[in-house]
Amino acid sequence: ATKCINTDCIVSLEAAETGALVVNEILVDPLGLDAQLEWFEVYNPGAAPVDMSGWKIRDCAVLEVTLPEGAAPVIPPKGYAVFGPEGDPAVNGGVTVDFVYSGEAFYLPNTEGSILLFDHTGKLVDQVRFASFGGWPHQTGASLELADPGADNTMPTSWATASTTYGPTDNKGTPGEKNSASQ
């Protein structure tokens, strides 16, 4: 198991972040098979595109994916990119995934997990540590949505439960779009 226990994490919860991208939405516990239907989304709050070539997606422990040159998303200003273990919308619940990672290299545990983004120079860009307890708005079949992309996404109170159903499943979320929780 690769749960994110704060004392075991590779960086502290207070570590400096560049903020170039923000982990904005996470479907950790979908209705159906996790290995096909889970995903997370990042948002570019800036005024310039962000090329994720050479970036790393990690958890607090040992899981890690490196985004290869030429295959990594380039996220437009005020745009989104969706990451998941299954790229076929006919299998993944109707989600357009911008980058497919191996489910062995990275996954989103249902009860307690983390997403850490590091840029190509190794700087921490953003981190989220989520749980199905401790005030997190966990609901099977609904994504965690950041209510405001400028909010502190390390705090459970910054997140809400998605209310918009997408695709042919009963899962709720807004993959690749503005969150339903945003005003």
Side-chain angles (χ1 to χ4, degrees), residues 21-26 40-43 115-117 126-128 146 153 159:
L21 294 176
V22 176
V23 176
N24 190 56
E25 188 173 4
I26 312 165
F40 70 94
E41 171 192 273
V42 298
Y43 172 70
I115 301 170
L116 285 68
L117 300 177
D126 194 29
Q127 66 172 319
V128 174
L146 198 53
N153 63 359
W159 295 83

Side-chain angles (χ1 to χ4, degrees), residues 15-182:
E17 302 172 354
T18 71
L21 294 176
V22 176
V23 176
N24 190 56
E25 188 173 4
I26 312 165
L27 182 62
V28 302
D29 191 7
L31 299 169
L33 297 173
D34 281 15
Q36 294 174 339
L37 300 169
E38 70 180 22
W39 51 266
F40 70 94
E41 171 192 273
V42 298
Y43 172 70
N44 177 358
V50 175
D51 182 348
M52 294 184 72
S53 294
W55 285 42
K56 292 188 185 316
I57 301 167
R58 292 201 49 140
D59 74 347
C60 278
V62 298
L63 297 181
E64 178 179 288
V65 172
T66 300
L67 306 181
E69 187 78 37
V74 177
I75 306 174
K78 311 298 183 220
Y80 304 90
V82 178
F83 299 79
E86 175 56 61
D88 183 350
V91 178
N92 73 15
V95 179
T96 299
V97 174
D98 298 293
F99 185 84
V100 177
Y101 56 80
S102 159
E104 286 81 46
F106 188 82
Y107 63 90
L108 303 170
N110 291 348
T111 55
E112 185 179 15
S114 55
I115 301 170
L116 285 68
L117 300 177
F118 292 90
D119 69 17
H120 66 284
T121 68
K123 288 184 181 155
L124 179 65
V125 176
D126 194 29
Q127 66 172 319
V128 174
R129 302 178 195 186
F130 55 86
S132 60
F133 52 87
W136 286 89
H138 179 95
Q139 179 182 321
T140 299
S143 70
L144 297 166
E145 291 186 332
L146 198 53
D148 173 358
D152 180 355
N153 63 359
T154 65
M155 301 298 297
T157 53
S158 297
W159 295 83
T161 303
S163 59
T164 304
T165 301
Y166 67 90
T169 68
D170 287 329
N171 285 307
K172 292 179 172 64
T174 55
E177 301 173 7
K178 183 178 178 182
N179 292 344
S180 59
S182 295

